[in-house]
Amino acid sequence: MEMKTALALGKAGVDTEAALRRLGGNTMLYEKVLIKFLDDQSFSEIGPALEQDDFETALKAAHTLKGVSANLGMNRLADACARIVSQIRAEKTEEA
C-alpha cells in the first residue's frame, strides 16, 4: 500500500493496522477489498429503506455495512451501523 494511501486512510480515522492484522498483513488484499467496498450498495440502501419503513432491508444493509466496515478498520462507520442495528432490533425505529 502506498504511504499516501495509508496516511489518507489514517487521517480519515481508518484503523489500517487492525484491518491488516485481520488480513494477515496482506496489503494487496486490503487494497483490493477497499476498492470493492466502494461498489457495496449497503450504505445507499439504509436511508431509503428507513424512509419507507422497510426495517428488514435497513437492518440487513446496516448489519452488512457494520461487518464490512469493521473488518476494514472503519470503526466510526461500524459503530454508527451498530447503533442503527440495535435501534431497529429494539423497535426504536424513529431513532434509527
Side-chain angles (χ1 to χ4, degrees):
M1 175 180 303
E2 289 186 29
M3 183 59 77
K4 181 173 84 173
T5 302
L7 289 173
L9 289 169
K11 191 173 184 180
V14 177
D15 187 349
T16 56
E17 289 180 22
L20 283 168
R21 278 193 305 273
R22 284 185 202 95
L23 297 172
N26 188 334
T27 57
M28 290 180 65
L29 177 60
Y30 185 51
E31 288 183 50
K32 182 178 178 180
V33 176
L34 281 171
I35 291 168
K36 188 172 181 176
F37 174 78
L38 297 173
D39 293 328
D40 188 286
Q41 296 300 309
S42 299
F43 182 82
S44 62
E45 291 174 357
I46 297 170
L50 289 172
E51 289 172 5
Q52 297 170 7
D53 294 335
D54 181 358
F55 302 113
E56 184 177 333
T57 298
L59 178 63
K60 181 181 174 190
H63 188 269
T64 298
L65 188 57
K66 177 184 74 147
V68 171
S69 58
N71 283 327
L72 293 174
M74 299 174 184
N75 298 328
R76 291 187 302 202
L77 178 58
D79 291 344
C81 291
R83 284 190 299 277
I84 292 170
V85 167
S86 294
Q87 290 165 339
I88 293 172
R89 287 184 175 158
E91 298 182 9
K92 296 179 180 180
T93 55
E94 287 295 317
E95 294 170 17

